[in-house]
Amino acid sequence: MELLFLLPIFIPLLTALFLFLSKNLFNETVTNFFTLNSALLSFSVSSFVFVMLTLDKFKPVNYSFFQWTTTPDIKISFVLDGLSGIMLLLVTGLSFIIQLFSTSYMEKDEKYINYFIYFNFFVFSMLLLVMSSNFLVMFFGWELVGLSSYLLISFWSTKSAAAKAGNKAFIINRVGDFGFLIGLMIILNTFNTFDFFVVLKDAAQVSENTITLISLFLLLGAFGKSAQFPLFSWLPDAMEGPTPASALIHAATMVTAGVFMLVRISPLLQYSKIVGIVIISFGLITALLAAFSAINQYDIKKVLAYSTISQLGFMFIAIGAGAYVAAIFHLVTHAFFKALLFLGAGAVIHSMHHEQDMRKMGGLKKQMPITASMMGIGTLAISGIPPLAGFWSKDEILASVFANEGIYYIFWVFGLGAAFLTAFYMGRHWILIFGKDNGFDHSHVHEAPKNMTRPLIILGIFSIFIGFVNTPFFHGIEKVLHYSLEGVEVTHLPKGITLVILAILSIGAGFTGLSLAYLIFSFEILKRVKLKKINLDFPINLIKDLSYNILYLNKFGNFVFVSGLKNFSRKVAVIIDGLVIDGSVNFVSTTFGKTSKVASATQTGLVRSYVVYFGLFLLLLIVLFIFTPLVYQ
Amino acid sequence: MLEVTTDWYLTLSAILFSIGFFGMMIRRNALIMFMCIELMLNAVNLTFISASRHFGQIDGQVAVFFVLVVAAAEVVVGLAIIVSIFRKQSSASVDVLNLSRG
């Protein structure tokens, strides 16, 4: 069992290595054979392991690989418990489905094998991250997923936008990783070990300030990786990568690493009063901001990117409200419906010959019925329409926020607003692509090939039914996470009629959002109904402008951090570097040069002059010898 | 009757040393300079021997043997160098050899 659960981690690594070594030998068919079979094998082993774990009532299984040092206690170790089991299943399963899709999407690409090498390497890194039982191995995985994400974002590296987006993602993540690293150092200093379970057990004896400090630094890491405000702007740009890679990395798995990590350290978080409030506030800001920004985007993938940021915000809200089960539950459901939406978008892009502007689509449901219906399921799921997956998880989050009472009532209202916006922009997304006919000639567009539609259908089925694993009537995920969240105070859902009212309200928000999207974008109510006295053009254009430019946050960030820093460093370069550092170095070197020129005049190269010096010094010695009184000791 | 004391020997060796030293300073021919060095070495030898005799100790004479051996070796190497220089520039003047000028 111990070795068996390590198998899914290393199969992708071996596949990546194997493909890397035999890169020039294989054509696409052989590559597909290896990569798909290894992904399937990895998934089968994971499923088997998960079943074994279920039979064992989700008792954690530890496996220590290698003891690095004993004091402080650092080892390479892994753990299989409910939390990592869920992630294991999710990552390997989605990896298989998305690779199946990729074989069709990446067809005839010049760097076909490279794509699968990076992809498998990502899966390995992600599994390393989730299976680790200490902070250090998690950090290795954390950095490696960053690397593979960078490689896949700038996959078409000849395109300057892709290369820049890769850099941006890497650099912004560096800010977060810096926080993570400092957090790790404080942990090592405080607990003398990196092991999760020791740290989480000992946390009770440590002062609250230290815990708060550690949590805040780790939180910075989570903000970077999970694209939370203010470190979110890399994710929309990351859409330059291949769409299936975006589906796995920038929607379903890697970006949820922050959420995963916070749930992992949840016993730590509960000892600090401030951290919860910080998490929920930033989560809310992110959820609202990203949802608002998604309203007026025209790139088919950018809408989904903002939607991902917004949904990650929801997961942070759940963590901030102490509803860790809900956070993981939403992570799981979101992984399915967002992967579905991304792959659907990929199918559309593929059929439209790499056209991503939604204004040039419209009415595609006739040409692409399967994709349209599956995307429709995804849209309903994310909007929170029962009984689809998104409803159960989002409703659980909102209800948990409500259950905290006090100031959380206000948070709940904002959360409901974000849910409403989600339904609105997703409705708009579907209508612009598939719904309203814009009069473009789409006769050349065909339904995507079978290797693309099959994954969509699988994900569609999951998006409908996965929500039933954790309902108010059956607490599946809660049971799985029982050991992982041992000793953690989890917020409980409100009982009875309150829960029903909350559910109705959140369904209402979803329906309102979708209907408003239908009225505005399909029925075009704004053009049909002219109000006589009130002119709505100005506020609508203002909203459109602000949404399109993300409240000008990117420009502000550019101004402060990019141009500001550039100007500042240019000045530093001129003053500090040019005058102070170069000046002092040059002064030293010129002084040495001048003195040595003077001194070198004595080196005439004539033997006779040296003899003279020699004689003079000899004379000097003799004089000294004569005039120095002898001292006996 | 004049008695030849140790002072005489020391004076002689000082004179010999000075001749050698001045020779080094004013002559350009490498061979002559070499001879001057030999002169200085032997002046020192003379000092050693006189001192050794004056104090009745053998140490000075031992030192002289060392000096003689070293001088012999030095002559071998030095002459070889001078010959090879002479072959290269057909002059034994040391003023031409100012390659190490700063």
Side-chain angles (χ1 to χ4, degrees), chain A residues 277 280-281 284-285 288 314 317 321 398 400-419 502:
Chain A
I277 296 283
I280 196 168
S281 343
L284 260 176
I285 293 172
L288 280 170
F314 268 104
I317 293 172
L398 289 174
S400 309
V401 174
F402 191 83
N404 273 302
E405 298 174 349
I407 192 171
Y408 286 85
Y409 288 139
I410 301 169
F411 292 152
W412 174 80
V413 173
F414 282 120
L416 202 64
L502 288 175

Side-chain angles (χ1 to χ4, degrees), chain B:
Chain B
M1 182 67 192
L2 276 173
E3 203 185 334
V4 181
T5 58
T6 314
D7 293 359
W8 291 44
Y9 291 101
L10 291 180
T11 315
L12 176 64
S13 78
I15 292 167
L16 284 175
F17 190 87
S18 304
I19 292 170
F21 192 77
F22 278 100
M24 280 287 285
M25 284 200 284
I26 60 177
R27 296 305 293 257
R28 291 193 189 115
N29 190 313
L31 270 174
I32 306 284
M33 290 176 83
F34 221 70
M35 290 154 88
C36 293
I37 292 172
E38 289 302 313
L39 203 59
M40 284 192 283
L41 282 172
N42 282 311
V44 174
N45 281 349
L46 189 57
T47 319
F48 271 130
I49 292 173
S50 352
S52 160
R53 201 180 143 80
H54 181 81
F55 294 112
Q57 280 183 338
I58 200 81
D59 300 11
Q61 303 197 15
V62 174
V64 168
F65 274 106
F66 277 106
V67 174
L68 283 178
V69 171
V70 172
E74 176 225 321
V75 165
V76 171
V77 178
L79 277 178
I81 292 174
I82 289 168
V83 168
S84 66
I85 287 170
F86 187 76
R87 272 195 193 148
K88 209 172 174 191
Q89 53 192 29
S90 59
S91 147
S93 168
V94 287
D95 280 8
V96 187
L97 302 171
N98 62 352
L99 296 176
S100 64
R101 191 159 63 99

Side-chain angles (χ1 to χ4, degrees), chain A residues 326-359:
Chain A
I328 289 296
F329 182 34
H330 196 54
L331 192 163
V332 172
T333 56
H334 171 256
F336 284 104
F337 57 67
K338 192 46 72 61
L340 169 63
L341 288 167
F342 261 106
L343 293 188
V348 172
I349 293 170
H350 185 77
S351 300
M352 290 285 291
H353 302 287
H354 293 272
E355 177 58 63
Q356 302 200 4
D357 195 332
M358 293 198 292
R359 280 168 293 194

